[in-house]
mmCIF file with all atom_site columns, all heavy atoms in Angstrom:
data_model
loop_
_atom_site.group_PDB
_atom_site.id
_atom_site.type_symbol
_atom_site.label_atom_id
_atom_site.label_alt_id
_atom_site.label_comp_id
_atom_site.label_asym_id
_atom_site.label_entity_id
_atom_site.label_seq_id
_atom_site.pdbx_PDB_ins_code
_atom_site.Cartn_x
_atom_site.Cartn_y
_atom_site.Cartn_z
_atom_site.occupancy
_atom_site.B_iso_or_equiv
_atom_site.pdbx_formal_charge
_atom_site.auth_seq_id
_atom_site.auth_comp_id
_atom_site.auth_asym_id
_atom_site.auth_atom_id
_atom_site.pdbx_PDB_model_num
ATOM   1   N  N   . ASN A 1 214 ? 34.495 -76.361 25.391 1.00 0.00 ? 214 ASN A N   1
ATOM   2   C  CA  . ASN A 1 214 ? 35.068 -75.240 24.623 1.00 0.00 ? 214 ASN A CA  1
ATOM   3   C  C   . ASN A 1 214 ? 36.528 -75.459 24.358 1.00 0.00 ? 214 ASN A C   1
ATOM   4   O  O   . ASN A 1 214 ? 37.047 -75.307 23.258 1.00 0.00 ? 214 ASN A O   1
ATOM   5   C  CB  . ASN A 1 214 ? 34.809 -73.950 25.356 1.00 0.00 ? 214 ASN A CB  1
ATOM   6   C  CG  . ASN A 1 214 ? 35.387 -72.694 24.695 1.00 0.00 ? 214 ASN A CG  1
ATOM   7   O  OD1 . ASN A 1 214 ? 36.607 -72.543 24.747 1.00 0.00 ? 214 ASN A OD1 1
ATOM   8   N  ND2 . ASN A 1 214 ? 34.558 -71.947 24.048 1.00 0.00 ? 214 ASN A ND2 1
ATOM   9   N  N   . PHE A 1 215 ? 37.225 -75.832 25.485 1.00 0.00 ? 215 PHE A N   1
ATOM   10  C  CA  . PHE A 1 215 ? 38.718 -75.974 25.382 1.00 0.00 ? 215 PHE A CA  1
ATOM   11  C  C   . PHE A 1 215 ? 39.100 -77.183 24.520 1.00 0.00 ? 215 PHE A C   1
ATOM   12  O  O   . PHE A 1 215 ? 40.197 -77.236 23.994 1.00 0.00 ? 215 PHE A O   1
ATOM   13  C  CB  . PHE A 1 215 ? 39.337 -76.111 26.749 1.00 0.00 ? 215 PHE A CB  1
ATOM   14  C  CG  . PHE A 1 215 ? 39.669 -74.776 27.371 1.00 0.00 ? 215 PHE A CG  1
ATOM   15  C  CD1 . PHE A 1 215 ? 38.700 -73.921 27.870 1.00 0.00 ? 215 PHE A CD1 1
ATOM   16  C  CD2 . PHE A 1 215 ? 41.002 -74.373 27.388 1.00 0.00 ? 215 PHE A CD2 1
ATOM   17  C  CE1 . PHE A 1 215 ? 39.015 -72.709 28.399 1.00 0.00 ? 215 PHE A CE1 1
ATOM   18  C  CE2 . PHE A 1 215 ? 41.351 -73.121 27.960 1.00 0.00 ? 215 PHE A CE2 1
ATOM   19  C  CZ  . PHE A 1 215 ? 40.359 -72.322 28.466 1.00 0.00 ? 215 PHE A CZ  1
ATOM   20  N  N   . ASP A 1 218 ? 36.771 -76.033 20.337 1.00 0.00 ? 218 ASP A N   1
ATOM   21  C  CA  . ASP A 1 218 ? 35.797 -75.073 19.742 1.00 0.00 ? 218 ASP A CA  1
ATOM   22  C  C   . ASP A 1 218 ? 36.536 -73.971 18.954 1.00 0.00 ? 218 ASP A C   1
ATOM   23  O  O   . ASP A 1 218 ? 36.763 -72.883 19.472 1.00 0.00 ? 218 ASP A O   1
ATOM   24  C  CB  . ASP A 1 218 ? 34.906 -74.481 20.844 1.00 0.00 ? 218 ASP A CB  1
ATOM   25  C  CG  . ASP A 1 218 ? 33.733 -73.754 20.268 1.00 0.00 ? 218 ASP A CG  1
ATOM   26  O  OD1 . ASP A 1 218 ? 33.811 -73.212 19.163 1.00 0.00 ? 218 ASP A OD1 1
ATOM   27  O  OD2 . ASP A 1 218 ? 32.640 -73.797 20.869 1.00 0.00 ? 218 ASP A OD2 1
ATOM   28  N  N   . HIS A 1 221 ? 34.294 -70.536 17.678 1.00 0.00 ? 221 HIS A N   1
ATOM   29  C  CA  . HIS A 1 221 ? 33.764 -69.342 18.433 1.00 0.00 ? 221 HIS A CA  1
ATOM   30  C  C   . HIS A 1 221 ? 34.661 -68.132 18.315 1.00 0.00 ? 221 HIS A C   1
ATOM   31  O  O   . HIS A 1 221 ? 34.554 -67.210 19.136 1.00 0.00 ? 221 HIS A O   1
ATOM   32  C  CB  . HIS A 1 221 ? 33.564 -69.724 19.882 1.00 0.00 ? 221 HIS A CB  1
ATOM   33  C  CG  . HIS A 1 221 ? 34.755 -69.786 20.772 1.00 0.00 ? 221 HIS A CG  1
ATOM   34  N  ND1 . HIS A 1 221 ? 35.686 -70.764 20.640 1.00 0.00 ? 221 HIS A ND1 1
ATOM   35  C  CD2 . HIS A 1 221 ? 35.210 -68.924 21.741 1.00 0.00 ? 221 HIS A CD2 1
ATOM   36  C  CE1 . HIS A 1 221 ? 36.641 -70.544 21.546 1.00 0.00 ? 221 HIS A CE1 1
ATOM   37  N  NE2 . HIS A 1 221 ? 36.408 -69.424 22.215 1.00 0.00 ? 221 HIS A NE2 1
ATOM   38  N  N   . ASN A 1 222 ? 35.531 -68.122 17.337 1.00 0.00 ? 222 ASN A N   1
ATOM   39  C  CA  . ASN A 1 222 ? 36.511 -67.058 17.297 1.00 0.00 ? 222 ASN A CA  1
ATOM   40  C  C   . ASN A 1 222 ? 35.823 -65.689 17.092 1.00 0.00 ? 222 ASN A C   1
ATOM   41  O  O   . ASN A 1 222 ? 36.391 -64.632 17.510 1.00 0.00 ? 222 ASN A O   1
ATOM   42  C  CB  . ASN A 1 222 ? 37.439 -67.268 16.135 1.00 0.00 ? 222 ASN A CB  1
ATOM   43  C  CG  . ASN A 1 222 ? 38.881 -66.811 16.504 1.00 0.00 ? 222 ASN A CG  1
ATOM   44  O  OD1 . ASN A 1 222 ? 39.302 -66.973 17.636 1.00 0.00 ? 222 ASN A OD1 1
ATOM   45  N  ND2 . ASN A 1 222 ? 39.580 -66.162 15.600 1.00 0.00 ? 222 ASN A ND2 1
ATOM   46  N  N   . SER A 1 224 ? 33.693 -64.567 18.858 1.00 0.00 ? 224 SER A N   1
ATOM   47  C  CA  . SER A 1 224 ? 33.549 -64.000 20.217 1.00 0.00 ? 224 SER A CA  1
ATOM   48  C  C   . SER A 1 224 ? 34.718 -63.103 20.607 1.00 0.00 ? 224 SER A C   1
ATOM   49  O  O   . SER A 1 224 ? 34.618 -62.263 21.464 1.00 0.00 ? 224 SER A O   1
ATOM   50  C  CB  . SER A 1 224 ? 33.407 -65.088 21.241 1.00 0.00 ? 224 SER A CB  1
ATOM   51  O  OG  . SER A 1 224 ? 32.249 -65.819 21.029 1.00 0.00 ? 224 SER A OG  1
ATOM   52  N  N   . HIS A 1 225 ? 35.872 -63.428 20.038 1.00 0.00 ? 225 HIS A N   1
ATOM   53  C  CA  . HIS A 1 225 ? 37.104 -62.782 20.466 1.00 0.00 ? 225 HIS A CA  1
ATOM   54  C  C   . HIS A 1 225 ? 37.591 -61.708 19.447 1.00 0.00 ? 225 HIS A C   1
ATOM   55  O  O   . HIS A 1 225 ? 38.740 -61.338 19.438 1.00 0.00 ? 225 HIS A O   1
ATOM   56  C  CB  . HIS A 1 225 ? 38.186 -63.819 20.690 1.00 0.00 ? 225 HIS A CB  1
ATOM   57  C  CG  . HIS A 1 225 ? 37.901 -64.834 21.733 1.00 0.00 ? 225 HIS A CG  1
ATOM   58  N  ND1 . HIS A 1 225 ? 37.511 -64.482 23.012 1.00 0.00 ? 225 HIS A ND1 1
ATOM   59  C  CD2 . HIS A 1 225 ? 37.868 -66.161 21.666 1.00 0.00 ? 225 HIS A CD2 1
ATOM   60  C  CE1 . HIS A 1 225 ? 37.312 -65.623 23.697 1.00 0.00 ? 225 HIS A CE1 1
ATOM   61  N  NE2 . HIS A 1 225 ? 37.526 -66.616 22.922 1.00 0.00 ? 225 HIS A NE2 1
ATOM   62  N  N   . ARG A 1 240 ? 45.951 -61.798 19.059 1.00 0.00 ? 240 ARG A N   1
ATOM   63  C  CA  . ARG A 1 240 ? 45.417 -62.207 20.393 1.00 0.00 ? 240 ARG A CA  1
ATOM   64  C  C   . ARG A 1 240 ? 46.519 -62.989 21.179 1.00 0.00 ? 240 ARG A C   1
ATOM   65  O  O   . ARG A 1 240 ? 46.715 -62.808 22.352 1.00 0.00 ? 240 ARG A O   1
ATOM   66  C  CB  . ARG A 1 240 ? 44.203 -63.085 20.212 1.00 0.00 ? 240 ARG A CB  1
ATOM   67  C  CG  . ARG A 1 240 ? 43.670 -63.605 21.531 1.00 0.00 ? 240 ARG A CG  1
ATOM   68  C  CD  . ARG A 1 240 ? 42.200 -63.913 21.469 1.00 0.00 ? 240 ARG A CD  1
ATOM   69  N  NE  . ARG A 1 240 ? 41.761 -64.425 20.207 1.00 0.00 ? 240 ARG A NE  1
ATOM   70  C  CZ  . ARG A 1 240 ? 41.349 -65.689 20.050 1.00 0.00 ? 240 ARG A CZ  1
ATOM   71  N  NH1 . ARG A 1 240 ? 41.346 -66.531 21.020 1.00 0.00 ? 240 ARG A NH1 1
ATOM   72  N  NH2 . ARG A 1 240 ? 40.883 -66.074 18.894 1.00 0.00 ? 240 ARG A NH2 1
ATOM   73  N  N   . ARG A 1 241 ? 47.161 -63.902 20.506 1.00 0.00 ? 241 ARG A N   1
ATOM   74  C  CA  . ARG A 1 241 ? 48.317 -64.556 21.099 1.00 0.00 ? 241 ARG A CA  1
ATOM   75  C  C   . ARG A 1 241 ? 49.293 -64.859 19.995 1.00 0.00 ? 241 ARG A C   1
ATOM   76  O  O   . ARG A 1 241 ? 49.456 -63.978 19.096 1.00 0.00 ? 241 ARG A O   1
ATOM   77  C  CB  . ARG A 1 241 ? 47.926 -65.771 21.908 1.00 0.00 ? 241 ARG A CB  1
ATOM   78  C  CG  . ARG A 1 241 ? 46.990 -66.754 21.203 1.00 0.00 ? 241 ARG A CG  1
ATOM   79  C  CD  . ARG A 1 241 ? 46.831 -68.014 22.107 1.00 0.00 ? 241 ARG A CD  1
ATOM   80  N  NE  . ARG A 1 241 ? 45.461 -68.138 22.685 1.00 0.00 ? 241 ARG A NE  1
ATOM   81  C  CZ  . ARG A 1 241 ? 44.512 -68.844 22.112 1.00 0.00 ? 241 ARG A CZ  1
ATOM   82  N  NH1 . ARG A 1 241 ? 44.683 -69.400 20.934 1.00 0.00 ? 241 ARG A NH1 1
ATOM   83  N  NH2 . ARG A 1 241 ? 43.350 -68.937 22.716 1.00 0.00 ? 241 ARG A NH2 1
ATOM   84  N  N   . TYR A 1 363 ? 44.863 -61.822 29.925 1.00 0.00 ? 363 TYR A N   1
ATOM   85  C  CA  . TYR A 1 363 ? 44.245 -62.722 28.919 1.00 0.00 ? 363 TYR A CA  1
ATOM   86  C  C   . TYR A 1 363 ? 43.229 -63.675 29.567 1.00 0.00 ? 363 TYR A C   1
ATOM   87  O  O   . TYR A 1 363 ? 42.134 -63.788 29.081 1.00 0.00 ? 363 TYR A O   1
ATOM   88  C  CB  . TYR A 1 363 ? 45.409 -63.564 28.256 1.00 0.00 ? 363 TYR A CB  1
ATOM   89  C  CG  . TYR A 1 363 ? 44.925 -64.410 27.129 1.00 0.00 ? 363 TYR A CG  1
ATOM   90  C  CD1 . TYR A 1 363 ? 45.138 -64.006 25.852 1.00 0.00 ? 363 TYR A CD1 1
ATOM   91  C  CD2 . TYR A 1 363 ? 44.286 -65.629 27.342 1.00 0.00 ? 363 TYR A CD2 1
ATOM   92  C  CE1 . TYR A 1 363 ? 44.728 -64.779 24.778 1.00 0.00 ? 363 TYR A CE1 1
ATOM   93  C  CE2 . TYR A 1 363 ? 43.863 -66.403 26.252 1.00 0.00 ? 363 TYR A CE2 1
ATOM   94  C  CZ  . TYR A 1 363 ? 44.096 -66.001 24.981 1.00 0.00 ? 363 TYR A CZ  1
ATOM   95  O  OH  . TYR A 1 363 ? 43.633 -66.736 23.937 1.00 0.00 ? 363 TYR A OH  1
ATOM   96  N  N   . THR A 1 370 ? 40.048 -62.132 27.187 1.00 0.00 ? 370 THR A N   1
ATOM   97  C  CA  . THR A 1 370 ? 39.591 -63.252 26.384 1.00 0.00 ? 370 THR A CA  1
ATOM   98  C  C   . THR A 1 370 ? 38.616 -64.132 27.124 1.00 0.00 ? 370 THR A C   1
ATOM   99  O  O   . THR A 1 370 ? 37.595 -64.558 26.619 1.00 0.00 ? 370 THR A O   1
ATOM   100 C  CB  . THR A 1 370 ? 40.812 -64.047 25.842 1.00 0.00 ? 370 THR A CB  1
ATOM   101 O  OG1 . THR A 1 370 ? 41.730 -63.150 25.258 1.00 0.00 ? 370 THR A OG1 1
ATOM   102 C  CG2 . THR A 1 370 ? 40.384 -65.089 24.880 1.00 0.00 ? 370 THR A CG2 1
ATOM   103 N  N   . GLU A 1 371 ? 38.984 -64.382 28.369 1.00 0.00 ? 371 GLU A N   1
ATOM   104 C  CA  . GLU A 1 371 ? 38.108 -65.252 29.171 1.00 0.00 ? 371 GLU A CA  1
ATOM   105 C  C   . GLU A 1 371 ? 36.760 -64.604 29.471 1.00 0.00 ? 371 GLU A C   1
ATOM   106 O  O   . GLU A 1 371 ? 35.693 -65.270 29.567 1.00 0.00 ? 371 GLU A O   1
ATOM   107 C  CB  . GLU A 1 371 ? 38.755 -65.700 30.470 1.00 0.00 ? 371 GLU A CB  1
ATOM   108 C  CG  . GLU A 1 371 ? 38.117 -66.884 31.132 1.00 0.00 ? 371 GLU A CG  1
ATOM   109 C  CD  . GLU A 1 371 ? 39.142 -67.991 31.380 1.00 0.00 ? 371 GLU A CD  1
ATOM   110 O  OE1 . GLU A 1 371 ? 40.172 -67.703 31.952 1.00 0.00 ? 371 GLU A OE1 1
ATOM   111 O  OE2 . GLU A 1 371 ? 38.823 -69.159 31.106 1.00 0.00 ? 371 GLU A OE2 1
ATOM   112 N  N   . ASP A 1 373 ? 35.119 -62.815 27.372 1.00 0.00 ? 373 ASP A N   1
ATOM   113 C  CA  . ASP A 1 373 ? 34.310 -63.114 26.235 1.00 0.00 ? 373 ASP A CA  1
ATOM   114 C  C   . ASP A 1 373 ? 33.611 -64.498 26.345 1.00 0.00 ? 373 ASP A C   1
ATOM   115 O  O   . ASP A 1 373 ? 32.430 -64.610 26.109 1.00 0.00 ? 373 ASP A O   1
ATOM   116 C  CB  . ASP A 1 373 ? 35.201 -63.149 24.962 1.00 0.00 ? 373 ASP A CB  1
ATOM   117 C  CG  . ASP A 1 373 ? 35.768 -61.806 24.625 1.00 0.00 ? 373 ASP A CG  1
ATOM   118 O  OD1 . ASP A 1 373 ? 35.281 -60.774 25.033 1.00 0.00 ? 373 ASP A OD1 1
ATOM   119 O  OD2 . ASP A 1 373 ? 36.824 -61.848 23.888 1.00 0.00 ? 373 ASP A OD2 1
ATOM   120 N  N   . ASP A 1 374 ? 34.464 -65.471 26.727 1.00 0.00 ? 374 ASP A N   1
ATOM   121 C  CA  . ASP A 1 374 ? 33.935 -66.830 26.766 1.00 0.00 ? 374 ASP A CA  1
ATOM   122 C  C   . ASP A 1 374 ? 32.891 -66.980 27.884 1.00 0.00 ? 374 ASP A C   1
ATOM   123 O  O   . ASP A 1 374 ? 31.844 -67.613 27.704 1.00 0.00 ? 374 ASP A O   1
ATOM   124 C  CB  . ASP A 1 374 ? 35.090 -67.830 27.120 1.00 0.00 ? 374 ASP A CB  1
ATOM   125 C  CG  . ASP A 1 374 ? 36.061 -67.921 25.941 1.00 0.00 ? 374 ASP A CG  1
ATOM   126 O  OD1 . ASP A 1 374 ? 35.632 -67.958 24.782 1.00 0.00 ? 374 ASP A OD1 1
ATOM   127 O  OD2 . ASP A 1 374 ? 37.274 -67.947 26.222 1.00 0.00 ? 374 ASP A OD2 1
ATOM   128 N  N   . ASN A 1 377 ? 29.397 -65.904 27.002 1.00 0.00 ? 377 ASN A N   1
ATOM   129 C  CA  . ASN A 1 377 ? 28.657 -66.949 26.198 1.00 0.00 ? 377 ASN A CA  1
ATOM   130 C  C   . ASN A 1 377 ? 28.159 -68.064 27.038 1.00 0.00 ? 377 ASN A C   1
ATOM   131 O  O   . ASN A 1 377 ? 27.018 -68.525 26.905 1.00 0.00 ? 377 ASN A O   1
ATOM   132 C  CB  . ASN A 1 377 ? 29.634 -67.475 25.106 1.00 0.00 ? 377 ASN A CB  1
ATOM   133 C  CG  . ASN A 1 377 ? 29.923 -66.410 24.074 1.00 0.00 ? 377 ASN A CG  1
ATOM   134 O  OD1 . ASN A 1 377 ? 29.069 -65.682 23.614 1.00 0.00 ? 377 ASN A OD1 1
ATOM   135 N  ND2 . ASN A 1 377 ? 31.192 -66.337 23.657 1.00 0.00 ? 377 ASN A ND2 1
ATOM   136 N  N   . TRP A 1 378 ? 29.040 -68.654 27.888 1.00 0.00 ? 378 TRP A N   1
ATOM   137 C  CA  . TRP A 1 378 ? 28.646 -69.777 28.679 1.00 0.00 ? 378 TRP A CA  1
ATOM   138 C  C   . TRP A 1 378 ? 27.516 -69.464 29.690 1.00 0.00 ? 378 TRP A C   1
ATOM   139 O  O   . TRP A 1 378 ? 26.598 -70.226 29.814 1.00 0.00 ? 378 TRP A O   1
ATOM   140 C  CB  . TRP A 1 378 ? 29.875 -70.317 29.451 1.00 0.00 ? 378 TRP A CB  1
ATOM   141 C  CG  . TRP A 1 378 ? 31.062 -70.657 28.567 1.00 0.00 ? 378 TRP A CG  1
ATOM   142 C  CD1 . TRP A 1 378 ? 31.035 -71.024 27.294 1.00 0.00 ? 378 TRP A CD1 1
ATOM   143 C  CD2 . TRP A 1 378 ? 32.427 -70.637 28.994 1.00 0.00 ? 378 TRP A CD2 1
ATOM   144 N  NE1 . TRP A 1 378 ? 32.301 -71.289 26.850 1.00 0.00 ? 378 TRP A NE1 1
ATOM   145 C  CE2 . TRP A 1 378 ? 33.189 -71.061 27.868 1.00 0.00 ? 378 TRP A CE2 1
ATOM   146 C  CE3 . TRP A 1 378 ? 33.140 -70.400 30.170 1.00 0.00 ? 378 TRP A CE3 1
ATOM   147 C  CZ2 . TRP A 1 378 ? 34.567 -71.172 27.882 1.00 0.00 ? 378 TRP A CZ2 1
ATOM   148 C  CZ3 . TRP A 1 378 ? 34.485 -70.456 30.169 1.00 0.00 ? 378 TRP A CZ3 1
ATOM   149 C  CH2 . TRP A 1 378 ? 35.227 -70.879 29.081 1.00 0.00 ? 378 TRP A CH2 1
HETATM 150 FE FE1 . FE  B 2 .   ? 37.505 -68.542 23.822 1.00 0.00 ? 502 FE  B FE1 1
#
Side-chain angles (χ1 to χ4, degrees):
N214 176 285
F215 272 75
D218 196 326
H221 78 287
N222 216 38
S224 297
H225 299 306
R240 176 154 36 112
R241 48 173 111 94
Y363 187 100
T370 308
E371 196 125 48
D373 296 338
D374 293 320
N377 292 317
W378 303 333

